[in-house]
Amino acid sequence: MYVGKVFTPRLLWHFARRNLLRSLLISVLACVLHQYAGWRWLGISFIPIATIGTAVAFYVGFKNNQAYDRLWEARRLWGGITNNSRTFAALFISLVPDKALQREFLYRHIAWVNVLRLQLRKTIPWATGREHLHQTFLGEKHELEQFEAGLKKIFGDAGTDEYFVMLRQRTNIANHLLKKQIHELGRLKRAGRLDAIEHSDLVKQIGEFINHQGGCERIKSTPLYRQYSIFSRVFVVLFICLLPFGLINEMSKIGAHGVWLTVPFSMLISWVFYTMEQIGEFSENPFDNSMNDVPLSAICTTIETDMREFVGDTEMPAKAAPLEDVLL
Amino acid sequence: MYVGKVFTPRLLWHFARRNLLRSLLISVLACVLHQYAGWRWLGISFIPIATIGTAVAFYVGFKNNQAYDRLWEARRLWGGITNNSRTFAALFISLVPDKALQREFLYRHIAWVNVLRLQLRKTIPWATGREHLHQTFLGEKHELEQFEAGLKKIFGDAGTDEYFVMLRQRTNIANHLLKKQIHELGRLKRAGRLDAIEHSDLVKQIGEFINHQGGCERIKSTPLYRQYSIFSRVFVVLFICLLPFGLINEMSKIGAHGVWLTVPFSMLISWVFYTMEQIGEFSENPFDNSMNDVPLSAICTTIETDMREFVGDTEMPAKAAPLEDVLL
Amino acid sequence: MYVGKVFTPRLLWHFARRNLLRSLLISVLACVLHQYAGWRWLGISFIPIATIGTAVAFYVGFKNNQAYDRLWEARRLWGGITNNSRTFAALFISLVPDKALQREFLYRHIAWVNVLRLQLRKTIPWATGREHLHQTFLGEKHELEQFEAGLKKIFGDAGTDEYFVMLRQRTNIANHLLKKQIHELGRLKRAGRLDAIEHSDLVKQIGEFINHQGGCERIKSTPLYRQYSIFSRVFVVLFICLLPFGLINEMSKIGAHGVWLTVPFSMLISWVFYTMEQIGEFSENPFDNSMNDVPLSAICTTIETDMREFVGDTEMPAKAAPLEDVLL
Amino acid sequence: MYVGKVFTPRLLWHFARRNLLRSLLISVLACVLHQYAGWRWLGISFIPIATIGTAVAFYVGFKNNQAYDRLWEARRLWGGITNNSRTFAALFISLVPDKALQREFLYRHIAWVNVLRLQLRKTIPWATGREHLHQTFLGEKHELEQFEAGLKKIFGDAGTDEYFVMLRQRTNIANHLLKKQIHELGRLKRAGRLDAIEHSDLVKQIGEFINHQGGCERIKSTPLYRQYSIFSRVFVVLFICLLPFGLINEMSKIGAHGVWLTVPFSMLISWVFYTMEQIGEFSENPFDNSMNDVPLSAICTTIETDMREFVGDTEMPAKAAPLEDVLL
Amino acid sequence: MYVGKVFTPRLLWHFARRNLLRSLLISVLACVLHQYAGWRWLGISFIPIATIGTAVAFYVGFKNNQAYDRLWEARRLWGGITNNSRTFAALFISLVPDKALQREFLYRHIAWVNVLRLQLRKTIPWATGREHLHQTFLGEKHELEQFEAGLKKIFGDAGTDEYFVMLRQRTNIANHLLKKQIHELGRLKRAGRLDAIEHSDLVKQIGEFINHQGGCERIKSTPLYRQYSIFSRVFVVLFICLLPFGLINEMSKIGAHGVWLTVPFSMLISWVFYTMEQIGEFSENPFDNSMNDVPLSAICTTIETDMREFVGDTEMPAKAAPLEDVLL
């Protein structure tokens, strides 16, 4: 999650590079042809282009809305995981006084949270955005290459390495951790350590975790429908390419050299439209290792701290803080 | 679900064929009449047409919103089926240690998921979109002609052919599979293998499946209200037909041959509006064997894998991958 | 629910009659006065009128959104009734093996569904739309005049005529049928045929039916707020009346006879705006015996079929199909 | 709730008085200065004003959306109260055969519904809209002055005057009635007349009533955020004041006396914008004794009728009907 | 929550200071250069600027929508806390007759509500809005500097100072208070003072509080996504800077001195756009000690009053009222 508060040149550059160049080229070309080659017919009326502009602004607005909703739903799902973790832990501790069992269940829960985080950060080639856009962030900050190492560490921390060996074969490890929780709750019930209602309530909490996990996987594996997102980009680029031709005429009314104002104005207007489009594009995949991701690491740390404080640990993981204005 | 990331000529063609031709014809005709027949009155003002354009863009945006919501709701419903399948399976396994019973229930569940998939892919003549649009996809990739064969295979795989004979008479087979699950749960309770709370919790899970199935059937049997969707198309076509007449005038201001710019500009602008309309049109039926469908086969495979891993099977169905940029 | 897929002249006529005539009259009058009476001042600028047009298009879009939401909520409510009927029936059958009791409860449920349908189709004079618009459909296809006859048939089919006599005095018969279900469930519990949890779960299902019924009644008795819907119509009509005066000027620029183009263009543009408004108007009451109603009869038939198949009946009601492109 | 179906001059007057006058004054003044004082510079271009117009129309549309949502949420809450009242009553009657107890609980429930109605109609000075707008309705039709008398009557009708004496000291009487219900349900459980599950289910129903009451109080005590609603009005008034200056120029193009068309057109356009704004303003407080309120009295009557029919009463309150097109 | 009903100069100033000055400077500069330096080319066409204006108005509308939703969700969460507090208290009192225990639980609940309030008002540097904007309110009215003092008072009032010492070390004190509630409920169950169902129902209420707390923390720690909010401001400022250049030309058509009208009109239009943007900006953080915050103190007082009346206290906290039109 990007948390910078001001508009920095770096941000500008990040969002605009390619487009500014394209816009510069087209508008300069248009002006040169108009002025020196005498192709006056390049200077068409602005009004039809304004009509496209309005329609495109609608369309982009619609897409941004959907992208925002995806991001916010993802955030809500992880908020739900946080809340339910607290309820599950507090309830379990109040019902099962055995400290060792408490630790076993809550450490397994912490493992699940972290495994889910790693799984969500894996790249699904056909579902991710265009990779080259996230390259700079991919290269340095994320934990992906170390997926196995990460897993190993999680289970090592919890002192259950044999688990890791067993689970790594599975398609969906997080899934099996939750199944294990339900399984162990069933065992506690049969052993008479949980009554029917207590067991039912605790299982319902795990059911919620399954729902949250499934919700995240749904967002991850269902990119913003391509028919919507591709054409958003195509329309904006089309509008940007037509823009200089609509401006030439308006600008040439000012006087001899007015035509050259087409260049900066093309760049400005195209920048506004292109940036609007990019904002949605950069937000549509909330689990894509980009700077606008849901801050999974920070949330996992919060959950881990809560669990450990509940169970009486004194050593806590370091609190997550934004790094270079990005909270991971 | 279409998962291509770039704008291909194939996509362009798929969405635009008929419209580009129509736009070409009308605009050429308008220009010829304007230039050679001297019908200057064809060149009307662009401003009223821009007003229609704005209103139409609103209307299409509204329709696209509804189409998107239908698609996303359908996806959420199948996400819900995935999640609940996991909870149901994990809970059942933890409560009923008998391996044979576990297999019976989970295989019946897999059967339900697949039968529901086939049922949703059947065509309801009055509820589907215009068939000729999906023809290319219909002919090759879907499983529809083999509905009976598909059903037979599902029950054959589960080793319950006698079931197939019994059920094929029913109006809604998926329905009866869920009823059967509830019935068998009742039997387990009477046999003392589930207590009151366990039975209640498991039945609630089946109740959720009934809700998910009903939700999908609702979307399938209630097309996007025709009063909304028909007029969206009609308005766009009307706008497209008026467009060249509004452009002629603006273009003729440029100079002698400027009028002919009406043709490419008509085609461009009409393409933008027509495509916006088509995007919604192609998304409004998420269970229609089109390239934008919810990827039912892929989701069914995921659920089957989860169920089989839970119950201890080692042989898994192949993981679904997009074929020619379409994930079915 | 209208299920036609193409734009027919009948549909055009249905939506547009009065408006086309009005638009024709005003624009002809304006042209005559402008041309022959020399009232040049009738030809005002189009730009202020375009501003009204944009604002009105917004407003109508907002209203259509609300109308669509009402329609879709109504459809969801009946989808919910369908789903819950299946869960209730499957659960009841699995818990109470007595065939006679099963029949009694499910037939009473079928009665409730159909009584609710009839009640929702009754006209509340102050809550309905303008009656004359639905007249053609009112006269032929609906079941309203036969409300009593319909009720009698429902109870006759279920072999409980004495019930009909008792209930017809009540304000809200559907209500009392659900109360009766809860009452009988209480009796079964006291008789030891349902345990505490089973009773609670079944009662919750009936509670859901009460919610669904109440939701439908809320939509039925709370028309789309009149302050919103009246002004939508007024604004559109105002815009349509101003339109010709804005067009005259633009059209007269073309040449001598160009002014007369005002007539067809006024009619076209006004048709677009008027139709947008009408679409919402025709959708806002989903229980109003109009062609855009939720297809209550079809849904009731589906539920009845489900119930009867579950309970082992072999004779099924005929499947509902659209009649003249309308599914009732 | 206003239920009139046509646009009456009374409605027009109600919504427009002040604005029409203001618009008349400004535009006449502008025309006089432009024509007789020769202040030609008053006639500015319409295009920048159209830009403001579009932005303002957006903003007002946004506000109206929020106002509508508040109204509809309030209506849903009272729909929820209706539904839950039925479930609660039917369940209670089926579980507790004692007629006297049934009467006691349901009459207390009727008391709660009516007390809540009175409490919601009390005016919170800082949360209400501008009082002078509702004056005509305040003076005649509502029950506010008689708050104490109303309360007394409610408890008198239920034969529990001693209650009234006790409760009138409390901050929130409705609150205490629900607490009393939960308290009495606890007593019934301890007396062995309700088992654990029955008690839990009935308490959950009361919990729902607490949620509904709290939802209504939230809407009542949190007016539509002032930062949003104040500026909506300010922007519209600003636009209306600028309008004549933008029109003068356009109108003066027609000819000598064309300028005077500025007056009627200013009034028309300003009326459209002002009315849009007012519609939201008049809807934003659904519990404010205005003509657009949720019809609390009618809903209370429906609930009372349901309760009394369930408990076997024969005397019913008169059915509510709209009075002068307003349903209270 | 700001509750003033009219538009005051103070409000104007609060929202507009910096922008009015900037707009004044740019437009005066533009006019001077245009008139005296003869830079006629500064007077560009307004139409491209109008296109930017429309796109920007869309974008700002979108952002305001999200900001409003955040504010309203925060308000709903606290509404939920109010409702659940009542249900929890009423249920607990009805189940546990011991007055001392009632006091202990409800006082702990009051402590939780107030601790949560203090925690939400703490500033998270990277998540808050730009601090200097809220400075005037920060300095005088809020309770932040006294966080520790506030905590101490809360626990002192409840007579549990030893608690305070223990809890102040924890990361999230509110969290631990809820965990304590669940823990004590478990103890009451083991002591036989709550049966299984009662315990389960009460724990579910605490689970709801955990959800509400988590929801508030999610909104607090996830500012409106910066990619959306930063560019909203940048686009508006860009539009405002271009505005005078688009107006000069339009205004100079009026006559010699018309150009100077650019200054007031630039200021007016820029004020409209800037204010729209600011409204969202000022609403996006509902727990930020600003004048548009959710009125936490008032809601806490309501809850405390409810709790104390339920438990039989006679001394109540003073009812919260707006101070200088702000309800805290």
Side-chain angles (χ1 to χ4, degrees), chain A residues 180 182-193 199, chain B residues 94:
Chain A
K180 178 79 177 166
I182 289 180
H183 196 256
E184 292 300 311
L185 289 173
R187 196 179 293 190
L188 288 180
K189 185 185 179 184
R190 277 193 299 277
R193 306 180 82 153
H199 174 260
Chain B
S94 82

Side-chain angles (χ1 to χ4, degrees), chain B residues 41 44-45 58-59 66 73 125 131 171 175-176 179 189-190 200 211 214 217-218 222 226-227 233, chain C residues 3-5 58 68 72 75-76 83 86 94 195 198 201 250 254 265 279 283 292 306 309-310:
Chain B
W41 56 267
I44 59 173
S45 161
F58 272 44
Y59 192 84
Q66 313 303 347
E73 192 195 350
E131 294 82 19
T171 320
N175 224 357
H176 282 274
K179 190 206 155 203
K189 185 184 179 184
R190 278 192 299 275
S200 171
N211 288 343
E217 289 172 359
R218 165 170 52 78
T222 313
R226 289 281 150 74
Q227 63 269 38
R233 204 163 53 236
Chain C
V3 296
K5 291 179 197 178
F58 272 45
Y68 181 90
W72 193 231
R75 183 63 190 81
R76 290 180 77 100
N83 303 346
R86 292 171 180 173
S94 83
D195 69 24
E198 292 166 351
D201 284 350
E250 296 289 332
I254 304 170
F265 274 90
I279 287 167
S283 314
N292 293 318
D306 285 345
E309 280 194 0
F310 275 15

Side-chain angles (χ1 to χ4, degrees), chain A residues 18 63 123-134 138 220-234 277 281 284-285 288, chain B residues 1-11 291 322 324-326:
Chain A
R18 294 209 324 173
K63 197 199 98 174
T123 302
I124 305 179
W126 52 262
T128 194
R130 287 171 301 159
E131 294 83 18
H132 68 273
L133 287 171
H134 309 310
L138 263 179
K220 171 91 180 175
S221 72
T222 312
L224 205 154
Y225 296 110
R226 289 280 151 75
Q227 64 267 40
Y228 286 96
S229 73
I230 288 177
F231 283 105
S232 166
R233 203 163 54 234
V234 170
E277 211 281 325
E281 175 114 2
E284 72 192 47
N285 293 320
D288 213 18
Chain B
M1 186 173 60
Y2 183 76
V3 297
K5 291 179 196 179
V6 287
F7 175 64
T8 62
R10 175 163 160 274
L11 203 64
M291 64 194 275
E324 290 182 38
D325 280 346
V326 175

Side-chain angles (χ1 to χ4, degrees), chain C residues 127-199:
Chain C
T128 193
R130 285 170 303 158
E131 295 83 18
H132 67 273
L133 288 171
H134 310 309
Q135 215 60 47
T136 45
F137 294 89
L138 264 179
E140 306 170 327
K141 288 176 196 140
H142 76 111
E143 308 155 59
L144 215 79
E145 286 88 34
Q146 309 104 334
F147 182 62
E148 279 239 345
L151 272 184
K152 212 167 186 171
K153 187 172 170 310
I154 289 168
F155 289 101
D157 285 3
T160 51
D161 293 293
E162 73 284 5
Y163 230 63
F164 169 63
V165 177
M166 201 183 81
L167 281 178
R168 76 198 293 198
Q169 313 294 349
R170 305 297 185 140
T171 321
N172 188 330
I173 298 173
N175 224 357
H176 282 273
L177 283 167
L178 291 178
K179 190 207 155 202
K180 177 79 177 167
Q181 295 283 56
I182 289 179
H183 197 253
E184 293 300 312
L185 288 173
R187 197 179 292 189
L188 288 179
K189 186 185 180 185
R190 278 192 299 275
R193 306 182 80 154
L194 291 172
D195 69 24
I197 301 285
E198 292 166 351
H199 174 259

Side-chain angles (χ1 to χ4, degrees), chain D residues 58 125 171 176 189 200 226, chain E residues 3 5 58 198 201 250 309:
Chain D
F58 271 44
T171 321
H176 283 274
K189 186 184 180 184
S200 171
R226 289 281 151 74
Chain E
V3 297
K5 292 179 195 180
F58 272 45
E198 291 165 353
D201 284 351
E250 296 289 331
E309 280 195 1

